[in-house]
Amino acid sequence: MRPYKLYLSVVLATTFQYSCNVKEKVEKVPQSPNILWIFLEDTAPLLSSYGTTLISTPNIDSLASQGVLYRNVFMPAPVCSASRSSIITGIMSTTTGTHNHHSSRTKESGIYLADSLETIPEIFKREGYFTFNNGKDDYNFIYNRKDLYSQDYRMHPLYGKNGIHLNLASLQHKQPFFGQIQLYGGKEIFSKNFKDKVATPVDRSAIELPPYLPQHPAIIEEYANHLDAIQITDQKVGKIIKELRDNDLLENTIVFFFSDHGMRITRNKQFLYDGGLHVPLIIADFTKTSEMLPQGSKNNDLISGLDLGTSALALADIDIPSYMEGQNIFSKSFKREYVISTRDRCDFTIDRIRSVRSKEFKYIRNFKTDRPYTQPTYMDFDGVEFVKVMHQLNKENKLDSLQEIFMSDVRPSEELYDLKNDPFELNNLAYDLKYVGVRDKYARILEDWISETDDKGQYPEDEENLKLMLGIWGEYASNPEYDTLREKYPTLSGTLVHLKTASSVVIDSTFLEEPTMELKDYLEKPDVDPGTE
């Protein structure tokens, strides 16, 4: 062989070997992890992995065995849109003015976030992540959804924007991704074939209700339905994990499993007792790279729902903006002394409640003691059976001394509960002289927080949001805040109820600009269908 040919052969062989080594190294470079939120609605931590024995949740239990189960997670609000608006921004909804349920559903009532504020998905998107949300957003602010998520969606005049489902198989070449899959959770009970989906209905005779609920068949059935809904949810979780695995996505994915707030039953959803705020949270790291997510472990840290988005950013090694109120639960210095939660207008029902919860005590402040806990709500409008039963039992004096407290026409301005000795929050210690010091300590924490964050719940709500509520809910909107509107708009009450069942409009790439509903159009033409699928 001639010298130059030998030299060329050596060069080619070396080059080939080098390129192979580079290729091998590239393939081994760790990719930023996918972050997937399995986001439930209205679901209590009544899972077998949390100690429930009445039902089996094998798929959720398997998720817990491969990750961390968090025992003390409490949401910033006990209703969907206020909670979700907080989670997706990492900021309390009372700070951004998005605390009233189903706000910003019209152009006239629009609430805008500060230009400097980016939501969690916007930050992921800026950092090169593909983002999507399969299902409802339910945010109480005006936003261009394309800035947050890369998918077509539907838009409903009351329930907001809803991402059209992306098949997980389509994500193979869209990694890393930050995605959300919305599951109905406790709202599975609204499915037309709900009962048919339940393979093994829970034994109703084995149910022992919390002491604030009477052992009445209608109440037991509502509670049992929730457990059965969780069994359906468990099957769906199993399918999601399988689909991730089948499409070679699972090994690069960190999965969050949680709910927006607690279950629908008396004294739970829409209220600041633990039943309305306590949710399951499981985080499973299938990449097996995070020391903070050891398999099969349990965590007792006090965590706010505000911490979910900020902690997801931390797992992706993305800086958390200083304006966010959420914390990084994976930081070695993480420690929450308390979680603050808020309740304001829910649908047409106007209220203002605040709570401060530590591991030892819960302090609740009721700002509107002129109205009972059980003032009319959407469940009265819908004629929900267990609600009617509770009112009937109270009228007939068939509730015991603990159960009748919540049904009373009177409620105190302050409540204080010793959570270790009174986990169901039944014995109000706020006026017990032995606990005056504790009450005042928590009251000061709340007062300081209201002042420091400029809690927007202390200010009257914009007329435009209330107009929509009055138009939809009619005579059920009975709070005095509606009196002036009734005089100002005498024909408005109840004329927009059709919006509850209106069709959604599909928003795809053919739309150059996102449409915004204007209330005046429906006031002028109340019978016009706002859109079609």
Side-chain angles (χ1 to χ4, degrees):
M1 182 179 291
R2 293 182 180 180
Y4 79 89
K5 285 188 176 181
L6 176 61
Y7 174 77
L8 182 60
S9 298
V10 171
V11 170
L12 289 174
T14 303
T15 303
F16 177 74
Q17 181 64 41
Y18 176 76
S19 67
C20 289
N21 289 341
V22 170
K23 183 179 180 182
E24 184 177 353
K25 287 180 181 178
V26 169
E27 288 176 347
K28 290 184 178 179
V29 171
Q31 180 179 323
S32 297
N34 302 318
I35 307 290
L36 180 67
W37 287 1
I38 301 178
F39 201 156
L40 279 57
E41 297 191 67
D42 298 34
T43 305
L46 297 174
L47 316 169
S48 48
S49 51
Y50 277 82
T52 298
T53 58
L54 291 173
I55 58 171
S56 175
T57 51
N59 294 299
I60 298 171
D61 295 350
S62 175
L63 194 65
S65 71
Q66 297 176 81
V68 181
L69 182 148
Y70 295 84
R71 290 192 174 109
N72 291 306
V73 181
F74 300 90
M75 282 294 143
V79 69
C80 303
S81 67
S83 180
R84 289 166 180 268
S85 296
S86 299
I87 292 169
I88 211 64
T89 59
I91 304 172
M92 289 291 289
S93 62
T94 47
T95 302
T96 58
T98 57
H99 50 291
N100 289 306
H101 190 38
H102 289 162
S103 295
S104 296
R105 304 304 153 121
T106 66
K107 183 176 181 179
E108 298 94 333
S109 64
I111 299 166
Y112 293 83
L113 301 179
D115 291 341
S116 58
L117 193 158
E118 288 182 292
T119 62
I120 298 295
E122 283 177 299
I123 294 172
F124 271 108
K125 202 170 187 182
R126 167 167 52 80
E127 294 297 320
Y129 272 68
F130 178 81
T131 61
F132 69 94
N133 180 21
N134 284 357
K136 68 184 275 186
D137 296 346
D138 212 5
Y139 309 147
N140 288 332
F141 51 87
I142 298 292
Y143 60 104
N144 187 332
R145 198 177 192 276
K146 294 177 182 178
D147 292 338
L148 279 67
Y149 306 115
S150 302
Q151 69 195 125
D152 295 340
Y153 61 97
R154 293 183 178 88
M155 189 166 168
H156 188 276
L158 177 60
Y159 303 118
K161 301 169 187 178
N162 189 305
I164 295 175
H165 285 217
L166 290 178
N167 192 312
L168 292 184
S170 69
L171 299 174
Q172 288 181 328
H173 303 293
K174 294 175 181 176
Q175 300 183 73
F177 60 75
F178 168 65
Q180 301 172 58
I181 297 178
Q182 306 293 331
L183 297 183
Y184 293 126
K187 289 184 178 177
E188 288 284 355
I189 62 174
F190 301 129
S191 171
K192 292 180 180 179
N193 58 342
F194 165 61
K195 296 291 185 181
D196 297 333
K197 294 180 182 178
V198 183
T200 309
V202 65
D203 180 0
R204 270 59 175 165
S205 67
I207 289 177
E208 187 68 30
L209 295 173
Y212 53 81
L213 296 173
Q215 287 287 133
H216 185 282
I219 315 296
I220 291 172
E221 185 63 22
E222 181 72 18
Y223 197 89
N225 284 341
H226 188 75
L227 292 171
D228 286 339
I230 289 174
Q231 294 189 84
I232 295 171
T233 301
D234 182 76
Q235 295 171 10
K236 292 185 175 182
V237 170
K239 290 178 181 178
I240 292 169
I241 300 302
K242 182 179 184 301
E243 193 171 352
L244 288 170
R245 183 180 289 112
D246 290 348
N247 288 285
D248 297 322
L249 297 169
L250 189 61
E251 289 186 0
N252 193 47
T253 301
I254 301 174
V255 176
F256 286 57
F257 169 89
F258 61 95
S259 176
D260 55 4
H261 55 75
M263 69 182 291
R264 181 191 86 154
I265 205 163
T266 301
R267 210 175 178 266
N268 283 233
K269 180 178 179 179
Q270 297 195 355
F271 288 93
L272 301 185
Y273 303 107
D274 279 4
L277 299 170
H278 190 202
V279 299
L281 171 64
I282 296 168
I283 306 178
D285 176 21
F286 290 96
T287 72
K288 297 180 172 56
T289 58
S290 176
E291 296 178 356
M292 303 303 293
L293 291 168
Q295 291 187 14
S297 60
K298 292 179 171 60
N299 182 294
N300 292 317
D301 291 344
L302 191 62
I303 293 171
S304 168
L306 283 180
D307 303 328
L308 297 175
T310 46
S311 300
L313 291 173
L315 285 174
D317 199 25
I318 298 173
D319 290 339
I320 300 169
S322 59
Y323 56 75
M324 289 191 174
E325 298 170 1
Q327 299 180 27
N328 173 16
I329 66 174
F330 305 115
S331 169
K332 292 181 180 179
S333 62
F334 172 76
K335 185 178 181 181
R336 272 195 180 275
E337 296 294 335
Y338 51 83
V339 171
I340 288 180
S341 301
T342 65
R343 166 10 199 320
D344 293 274
R345 176 178 56 72
C346 290
D347 299 301
F348 59 87
T349 311
I350 299 175
D351 211 332
R352 185 181 177 220
I353 315 173
R354 300 290 180 265
S355 69
V356 181
R357 191 199 195 281
S358 67
K359 285 188 176 181
E360 294 78 28
F361 291 95
K362 165 82 68 66
Y363 173 78
I364 296 176
R365 177 73 189 275
N366 295 300
F367 287 87
K368 295 188 180 294
T369 55
D370 62 317
R371 53 204 73 178
Y373 295 111
T374 55
Q375 59 176 319
T377 72
Y378 78 99
M379 288 187 277
D380 295 285
F381 180 95
D382 291 341
V384 174
E385 182 63 21
F386 80 84
V387 175
K388 293 190 291 185
V389 166
M390 286 297 294
H391 283 296
Q392 186 63 32
L393 292 176
N394 183 55
K395 183 178 179 180
E396 296 173 354
N397 296 316
K398 292 182 179 179
L399 299 176
D400 66 28
S401 58
L402 294 177
Q403 295 158 4
E404 66 183 8
I405 294 173
F406 189 75
M407 304 302 293
S408 171
D409 290 335
V410 179
R411 61 168 156 167
S413 60
E414 295 178 287
E415 301 175 51
L416 179 70
Y417 301 100
D418 178 348
L419 298 174
K420 291 187 175 180
N421 296 308
D422 181 20
F424 291 111
E425 301 161 283
L426 299 171
N427 182 24
N428 183 10
L429 302 172
Y431 303 98
D432 187 324
L433 294 178
K434 295 178 184 178
Y435 291 89
V436 168
V438 177
R439 181 197 66 192
D440 291 349
K441 172 188 173 183
Y442 282 75
R444 283 194 298 272
I445 291 171
L446 179 62
E447 289 166 5
D448 289 345
W449 174 85
I450 289 172
S451 175
E452 291 167 5
T453 65
D454 190 26
D455 174 5
K456 302 303 186 296
Q458 63 190 304
Y459 309 117
E461 185 175 6
D462 182 89
E463 176 185 288
E464 294 298 334
N465 277 313
L466 294 182
K467 280 169 62 178
L468 181 62
M469 296 301 109
L470 179 60
I472 292 173
W473 302 98
E475 64 183 18
Y476 282 84
S478 57
N479 293 128
E481 289 85 349
Y482 293 104
D483 291 347
T484 301
L485 288 180
R486 281 194 164 87
E487 293 177 6
K488 192 172 180 180
Y489 305 100
T491 62
L492 173 61
S493 180
T495 59
L496 301 175
V497 67
H498 64 281
L499 294 183
K500 277 175 57 63
T501 55
S503 299
S504 297
V505 178
V506 173
I507 311 297
D508 56 23
S509 58
T510 63
F511 280 77
L512 300 178
E513 185 177 344
E514 213 177 47
T516 305
M517 170 180 145
E518 293 192 50
L519 183 60
K520 64 181 181 64
D521 294 337
Y522 297 113
L523 291 175
E524 294 167 1
K525 304 173 184 178
D527 296 325
V528 174
D529 186 347
T532 57
E533 289 283 341

